[in-house]
Amino acid sequence: MSQVSNILSRDMEFFYNDLNENCNVSDASSDINLIADFTEYNPLHNGHFHCMKTAKHMFPDSLFVAVVPGLFERSGRGIPYILPREVRAEIAISVGADVVVEGPPMGIMGSGQYSLCLCRMFKALNTDYIPRGYKPVEGIDEILKRVNLGHHVASKPYKVVDRTTNEILLKGKLEEDNYVITSFANSLSKIGFDFKDKFIFVERIGGVSGTLIRESILEDNFDNVLDMMPPKTIEVLKREIKNDSIIYGIRDADRILETANQYSFDDLAGLNLFSDKLAQSIVENRPFDNIDEIEDAILQGFSTHFRQRVLSVLENPIPKKLVSQYIDKYPSVIRILGYKNDDCLEKFKKKINNENISLFKRQL
């Protein structure tokens, strides 16, 4: 089996183990403040580093916990990550994180689903502060103000509303980073978590290009991006390239083709993100000989990344009813990907309210 196939098989086992695990909630009591930062670190660049440094400077005695997704190694866009999560955790620890925990399986979920999971994680961690980067655009200041007042702010099609006051705060769509903020506010409100004054909003810095970074990795030439990432990120990327451990863009094509060609209409329609119409399109256009043919058969969804997410679902075929059960129990287990030292680990254990904690072991 390939490295990616091994990862996906292992993570499927994790998923079902977590699904069947009963969460043991404790009444944690700790005076230490905990900063929980959700970031994909794909890879960790100077924008991520700036956000981390800003939060740590504001609350220097806090425990900085990075929430790094997660099962199946597929991003919120449905695309395979550059590095496995345990390697992304290694970089995060090296530049200042105290603890890194595994986040939800973003690539097989809709944006609302993984936002809800992330907010459940914030609650389980007894989070005191949530740093979040934003882009300064017209209307965003009022939105950020309402969020830090603890208002139920939510993005609707072509508008942003304050459900607490029933006001329209913005007409139009938000860009991705700013949209995530309103998505968190909406999900945190739904689970009853008081987030008043918990967000640390950090204006995004310029000079970082994800496209150039990805090109540098594929070409194994970092000359044009040396000032975009911390030296540790580049060091680890070079090491993983040498070890042939970069997983960016690599899929288990055999598994995707098997699901698309062999699953019945009912089985396809029962998968997460699937509708009857999408399942019918797959059935009518098979058999497929390659992934490109499957992509052509995937109907365009609301998200621009819908096709890639569907490929990830075909790659990891989990029924939507089980995904819903998983979300309801999330996080049934707090899986630690890395930690700075034993003292940080003990402080973390005393702070959180979930007794099910496990240490992740890297797959060789």
Side-chain angles (χ1 to χ4, degrees):
M1 294 178 70
S2 69
Q3 179 191 9
V4 168
S5 297
N6 285 334
I7 289 173
L8 297 183
S9 295
R10 175 204 64 193
D11 286 357
M12 188 65 77
E13 185 175 343
F14 277 150
F15 177 89
Y16 280 100
N17 286 342
D18 292 351
L19 180 66
N20 294 320
E21 186 74 50
N22 291 319
C23 178
N24 293 320
V25 178
S26 63
D27 294 323
S29 178
S30 172
D31 293 334
I32 192 168
N33 284 327
L34 187 148
I35 302 170
D37 181 25
F38 157 68
T39 317
E40 294 180 274
Y41 294 149
N42 188 38
L44 192 152
H45 54 60
N46 285 345
H48 302 131
F49 191 35
H50 172 67
C51 192
M52 179 190 292
K53 288 189 296 183
T54 300
K56 286 170 65 72
H57 177 74
M58 290 177 64
F59 302 98
D61 296 325
S62 296
L63 197 67
F64 190 97
V65 178
V67 182
V68 173
L71 295 181
F72 310 118
E73 300 295 355
R74 301 297 179 257
S75 73
R77 299 179 180 184
I79 300 171
Y81 283 121
I82 292 168
L83 296 168
R85 57 192 179 276
E86 63 269 27
V87 183
R88 289 181 278 142
E90 174 193 345
I91 298 173
I93 294 293
S94 73
V95 300
D98 296 307
V99 179
V100 180
V101 300
E102 179 186 274
M106 295 178 65
I108 65 164
M109 292 180 167
S111 59
Q113 290 178 317
Y114 65 73
S115 174
L116 192 58
C117 282
L118 286 166
C119 290
R120 289 185 183 278
M121 176 64 80
F122 293 150
K123 187 174 183 178
L125 296 178
N126 278 331
T127 300
D128 296 289
Y129 301 106
I130 305 170
R132 196 67 231 166
Y134 74 96
K135 292 182 179 179
V137 298
E138 186 176 353
I140 192 63
D141 287 345
E142 183 61 26
I143 292 172
L144 301 185
K145 175 186 173 182
R146 298 297 182 97
V147 170
N148 256 347
L149 286 172
H151 286 204
H152 185 172
V153 177
S155 288
K156 296 295 181 182
Y158 306 106
K159 63 181 178 181
V160 178
V161 299
D162 183 336
R163 288 186 164 183
T164 303
T165 62
N166 293 319
E167 294 175 83
I168 296 176
L169 302 180
L170 180 73
K171 292 184 178 179
K173 283 187 173 182
L174 287 174
E175 294 186 47
E176 188 169 338
D177 286 341
N178 295 342
Y179 172 82
V180 169
I181 294 170
T182 59
S183 180
F184 280 172
N186 186 38
S187 296
L188 288 168
S189 297
K190 286 181 177 180
I191 65 172
F193 184 69
D194 183 6
F195 54 93
K196 185 176 184 294
D197 295 327
K198 287 188 181 293
F199 277 92
I200 304 170
F201 294 119
V202 182
E203 184 175 336
R204 284 194 59 176
I205 62 172
V208 176
S209 168
T211 300
L212 287 179
I213 290 173
R214 287 187 288 274
E215 288 176 356
S216 72
I217 293 166
L218 295 175
E219 297 170 1
D220 191 11
N221 183 348
F222 295 90
D223 291 346
N224 294 327
V225 295
L226 291 174
D227 59 348
M228 295 184 186
M229 295 178 283
K232 182 63 178 182
T233 297
I234 296 174
E235 174 190 326
V236 171
L237 283 170
K238 288 181 176 179
R239 183 193 74 196
E240 296 302 304
I241 290 172
K242 184 178 180 180
N243 293 336
D244 197 25
S245 297
I246 300 294
I247 60 173
Y248 177 66
I250 301 175
R251 290 193 179 277
D252 188 338
D254 290 341
R255 185 178 296 189
I256 294 172
L257 287 167
E258 180 182 353
T259 305
N261 284 325
Q262 297 186 14
Y263 269 45
S264 69
F265 168 82
D266 288 340
D267 288 339
L268 286 170
L271 295 178
N272 202 42
L273 305 187
F274 267 71
S275 64
D276 287 356
K277 191 173 181 181
L278 174 56
Q280 188 63 40
S281 181
I282 296 293
V283 170
E284 289 177 350
N285 286 281
R286 63 191 187 190
F288 302 102
D289 294 321
N290 54 62
I291 292 179
D292 289 341
E293 292 178 356
I294 297 175
E295 278 198 68
D296 290 339
I298 298 174
L299 306 173
Q300 182 61 51
F302 179 75
S303 165
T304 55
H305 311 296
F306 182 69
R307 286 192 172 96
Q308 292 301 317
R309 287 181 179 173
V310 170
L311 287 179
S312 291
V313 170
L314 291 170
E315 197 173 27
N316 306 281
I318 301 174
K320 62 184 71 175
K321 63 180 181 181
L322 295 185
V323 173
S324 294
Q325 292 174 20
Y326 180 88
I327 294 170
D328 288 342
K329 298 179 70 172
Y330 191 84
S332 59
V333 177
I334 304 291
R335 193 169 291 117
I336 297 175
L337 302 177
Y339 56 95
K340 184 178 180 180
N341 53 45
D342 290 341
D343 181 56
C344 289
L345 181 61
E346 288 307 309
K347 289 178 179 178
F348 174 77
K349 289 180 178 179
K350 291 178 181 178
K351 175 68 176 179
I352 67 174
N353 64 11
N354 189 322
E355 294 182 354
N356 294 348
I357 299 174
S358 68
L359 297 180
F360 183 92
K361 293 183 179 179
R362 184 175 185 183
Q363 180 173 322
L364 300 177

